[in-house]
Amino acid sequence: MTATVIPHVPRSGFTVRRVGELWELVNSRHYGRTVVLHAWPRDGHTEAFEHCYRLNGRSVEELQAAFH
């Protein structure tokens, strides 16, 4: 017998917000505004936004192009 694991991760709606000294990854559409899925220190903003773009099905190159 084989089992298939299907992850239940929403493909869109992820956002990054700054709260104090942290960047927080949230998906209020699926989990509500109070559920923080991951947090990065203030200087980890690049990693936070790249991760958010990937979860939303977009490429990191799109993010980099938006800021250049």
Side-chain angles (χ1 to χ4, degrees):
M1 174 196 290
T2 60
T4 303
V5 177
I6 301 171
H8 295 284
V9 177
R11 293 290 301 164
S12 62
F14 289 95
T15 57
V16 174
R17 66 183 180 197
R18 186 168 148 214
V19 178
E21 293 296 312
L22 294 175
W23 290 100
E24 297 179 341
L25 177 70
V26 296
N27 189 323
S28 58
R29 184 182 308 162
H30 294 279
Y31 303 113
R33 291 181 292 164
T34 59
V35 177
V36 177
L37 303 171
H38 194 72
W40 292 265
R42 186 174 180 182
D43 62 348
H45 56 85
T46 302
E47 183 182 347
F49 281 94
E50 287 177 354
H51 191 71
C52 182
Y53 260 64
R54 284 196 283 299
L55 287 172
N56 283 319
R58 301 174 76 185
S59 70
V60 174
E61 289 77 21
E62 288 181 72
L63 171 65
Q64 293 167 345
F67 287 99
H68 285 96

